[in-house]
Amino acid sequence: MLIGKVVGTLVATRKAERMEGLKFLVVKQVDIEGRETDDYVIAADVVQAGMGDYVLYARGSSARQTVQTDRRPCDGVVMAVVDTWDVQGEVKYQKE
Amino acid sequence: MLIGKVVGTLVATRKAERMEGLKFLVVKQVDIEGRETDDYVIAADVVQAGMGDYVLYARGSSARQTVQTDRRPCDGVVMAVVDTWDVQGEVKYQKE
Amino acid sequence: MLIGKVVGTLVATRKAERMEGLKFLVVKQVDIEGRETDDYVIAADVVQAGMGDYVLYARGSSARQTVQTDRRPCDGVVMAVVDTWDVQGEVKYQKE
Amino acid sequence: MLIGKVVGTLVATRKAERMEGLKFLVVKQVDIEGRETDDYVIAADVVQAGMGDYVLYARGSSARQTVQTDRRPCDGVVMAVVDTWDVQGEVKYQKE
Amino acid sequence: MLIGKVVGTLVATRKAERMEGLKFLVVKQVDIEGRETDDYVIAADVVQAGMGDYVLYARGSSARQTVQTDRRPCDGVVMAVVDTWDVQGEVKYQKE
């Protein structure tokens, strides 16, 4: 998994039928210092993450291992909201 | 998933038999600002996307999770046409 | 899928038993203008592509979705010979 | 697999239910000389690796091939603690 | 698949139980001219490759399609020893 920051949402009405009912988030990848990078993913949200939340996301077939994304043509999922992480003993992020 | 822009089509007559009947689109990856990048994918179209459409595409095994691509040697699929997305509350794209 | 150009062949006698009988092509990735890049893949050929052919190749588990590559430790397959593709209405390649 | 160095931990309370009970490590990728790179992964720990340990990690569907990660939306796993590796006959790392 | 050169070995005693019995090689990726790159993979060896051998390796789920790696958390496998390859009719490597 990688750490991302939720920065937006995406709406798509015309889509493969198996994609009905999923909410899509625009997630920017962040590095382990918590800085945003230029990489992003459009990910299905299964944890009701909010704008600005730091989240964990999975790619590929692992993104289909949730009840909501099972057997769907979905290769990105936000499957956790991050509370905190540390690097070398230093807290890099702490959810308020 | 990533956001792409449909910029062309590709035709291949001689192909693995399981690939019959699929339409291939040339899709350029775009960043979250909507700018085209140099990355691209040739993706099967399951939503009848049109030239110039902004779309969502999936890669890898997730690209096979549609009725049309099931069990086919296909690692890219356009599975949604994007209506709109926003970043930090700013609309980056709105389909006309 | 990505577009590639067949530039060579590779021979390997000592290999996992499930790899017997596959022909390996050296395939350079090309961009959507048809220019060769530095990226390449060694791919199993299931469409009898020829030297210089522009082809479509798939990576990952999708590369195993052909009769010839099913259940084999093969993560790259040439599954189509390209006839033509266009970008913004301009033909970028036309097979002779 | 790639070689990583455990540099931290990550905590996420709100997560997909199938992710309960996993411990997440912040793992920096290292090159074959043992130098840390800017790439990282948040990986589930199934070998009780410690801070500073050099480890092997797997990505993608392979990350789900452990008892602890089976069928979970997890695309990174630390599945071994490295004792030593050598390159061209020179020992690059030796666990104390 | 990509071409690699075996440059070392890696030993890990503490590992996921399903990883028992596998030999790990340090494999540097080479380009199609046979030049070593900075990319590498730690791959399970199922063909008894030797130091200095040029090999083919597979990544991802394809790396589990051998008797030795089936259902293991292993995302890299050396599944062939390369005898020779050519590019544009020129032999780039010939095993002695």
Side-chain angles (χ1 to χ4, degrees):
Chain A
M1 288 73 69
L2 290 171
I3 308 172
K5 186 179 181 180
V6 180
V7 297
T9 57
L10 181 146
V11 177
T13 308
R14 194 158 95 232
K15 54 195 164 191
E17 58 184 283
R18 294 182 189 173
M19 294 306 281
E20 296 296 330
L22 289 179
K23 180 180 180 185
F24 298 118
L25 299 177
V26 182
V27 179
K28 288 191 85 165
Q29 184 189 328
V30 301
D31 65 20
I32 64 172
E33 300 299 325
R35 293 178 298 233
E36 299 179 17
T37 71
D38 287 337
D39 287 320
Y40 77 99
V41 66
I42 306 299
D45 179 18
V46 302
V47 290
Q48 294 179 282
M51 280 292 295
D53 276 352
Y54 283 78
V55 295
L56 277 187
Y57 63 93
R59 299 299 310 272
S61 58
S62 297
R64 298 195 308 271
Q65 309 298 314
T66 73
V67 175
Q68 296 91 330
T69 58
D70 188 33
R71 300 193 187 185
R72 299 185 181 209
C74 170
D75 67 2
V77 71
V78 169
M79 46 31 136
V81 177
V82 174
D83 293 320
T84 185
W85 81 84
D86 61 87
V87 174
Q88 307 289 14
E90 188 182 336
V91 175
K92 295 298 179 182
Y93 170 74
Q94 176 72 50
K95 188 173 165 63
E96 297 174 1
Chain B
M1 288 73 69
L2 290 171
I3 307 172
K5 186 179 182 181
V6 180
V7 297
T9 57
L10 181 146
V11 177
T13 309
R14 194 158 95 232
K15 54 195 164 192
E17 58 184 283
R18 294 181 189 175
M19 294 306 281
E20 296 296 332
L22 290 179
K23 180 180 179 185
F24 298 118
L25 298 176
V26 182
V27 178
K28 287 191 84 165
Q29 183 188 329
V30 302
D31 64 22
I32 63 172
E33 301 298 324
R35 293 178 299 234
E36 299 179 17
T37 72
D38 287 337
D39 287 319
Y40 77 99
V41 65
I42 306 298
D45 179 19
V46 302
V47 290
Q48 294 179 285
M51 279 293 294
D53 276 352
Y54 283 79
V55 295
L56 278 187
Y57 63 92
R59 301 296 312 272
S61 58
S62 297
R64 299 196 307 271
Q65 309 298 314
T66 73
V67 175
Q68 296 91 331
T69 57
D70 188 34
R71 300 193 187 186
R72 297 185 182 211
C74 170
D75 67 2
V77 71
V78 169
M79 46 31 137
V81 177
V82 175
D83 294 319
T84 185
W85 82 83
D86 61 87
V87 174
Q88 307 289 13
E90 189 182 335
V91 175
K92 295 298 180 182
Y93 169 75
Q94 177 73 49
K95 187 173 167 62
E96 298 174 1
Chain C
M1 289 71 71
L2 291 171
I3 307 172
K5 188 179 182 182
V6 180
V7 297
T9 56
L10 180 145
V11 177
T13 309
R14 193 158 96 231
K15 52 194 165 193
E17 58 184 283
R18 294 182 190 174
M19 295 306 282
E20 295 296 331
L22 290 178
K23 181 181 179 184
F24 298 118
L25 298 177
V26 182
V27 179
K28 287 191 85 165
Q29 183 188 329
V30 301
D31 63 21
I32 64 173
E33 301 298 323
R35 293 179 298 234
E36 299 179 16
T37 71
D38 287 337
D39 287 319
Y40 77 99
V41 65
I42 306 298
D45 179 18
V46 302
V47 290
Q48 293 180 286
M51 279 293 294
D53 276 352
Y54 284 78
V55 295
L56 278 187
Y57 63 92
R59 301 298 311 271
S61 58
S62 297
R64 299 196 308 271
Q65 308 298 314
T66 73
V67 175
Q68 297 91 333
T69 56
D70 188 33
R71 300 191 187 189
R72 298 186 181 208
C74 169
D75 67 2
V77 71
V78 169
M79 46 31 135
V81 177
V82 175
D83 294 320
T84 184
W85 83 84
D86 60 87
V87 174
Q88 308 289 12
E90 189 182 333
V91 175
K92 295 299 179 182
Y93 169 75
Q94 178 71 53
K95 187 171 166 65
E96 296 173 3
Chain D
M1 289 72 69
L2 291 171
I3 308 172
K5 186 178 181 181
V6 180
V7 297
T9 57
L10 180 146
V11 176
T13 309
R14 193 157 96 233
K15 55 194 164 193
E17 58 185 282
R18 294 182 188 172
M19 294 306 281
E20 297 295 330
L22 289 179
K23 180 180 180 185
F24 298 118
L25 298 177
V26 182
V27 179
K28 289 191 84 166
Q29 183 188 329
V30 302
D31 65 21
I32 63 173
E33 301 298 325
R35 293 179 298 233
E36 299 179 18
T37 71
D38 286 337
D39 287 320
Y40 77 98
V41 66
I42 306 299
D45 179 19
V46 302
V47 289
Q48 295 179 283
M51 280 293 295
D53 276 353
Y54 283 78
V55 295
L56 277 186
Y57 64 92
R59 298 300 309 272
S61 58
S62 297
R64 299 196 307 272
Q65 309 297 316
T66 72
V67 175
Q68 297 91 331
T69 58
D70 188 33
R71 300 192 187 187
R72 299 187 181 208
C74 169
D75 67 1
V77 71
V78 169
M79 48 27 138
V81 176
V82 174
D83 294 320
T84 184
W85 81 84
D86 60 88
V87 174
Q88 308 289 14
E90 188 182 336
V91 175
K92 295 297 178 181
Y93 170 75
Q94 177 71 51
K95 188 173 165 62
E96 295 174 3
Chain E
M1 289 72 70
L2 291 171
I3 307 172
K5 186 178 182 181
V6 180
V7 297
T9 57
L10 180 146
V11 177
T13 309
R14 193 158 96 232
K15 54 194 163 191
E17 58 184 282
R18 294 183 188 172
M19 295 306 282
E20 296 295 329
L22 290 179
K23 180 181 180 183
F24 298 118
L25 298 177
V26 182
V27 178
K28 289 191 84 166
Q29 184 188 328
V30 302
D31 63 21
I32 63 173
E33 301 298 325
R35 293 179 297 233
E36 299 179 18
T37 72
D38 286 337
D39 287 319
Y40 76 98
V41 65
I42 306 299
D45 179 18
V46 302
V47 289
Q48 294 179 284
M51 280 293 294
D53 277 351
Y54 283 78
V55 295
L56 278 186
Y57 64 91
R59 299 299 309 272
S61 58
S62 297
R64 300 196 307 270
Q65 308 298 314
T66 73
V67 175
Q68 297 90 332
T69 57
D70 187 34
R71 299 191 188 188
R72 299 186 181 208
C74 169
D75 67 2
V77 71
V78 169
M79 46 31 136
V81 177
V82 175
D83 293 319
T84 183
W85 82 84
D86 60 88
V87 174
Q88 308 288 14
E90 188 181 335
V91 175
K92 295 298 178 182
Y93 170 75
Q94 178 70 53
K95 188 173 165 62
E96 295 173 3

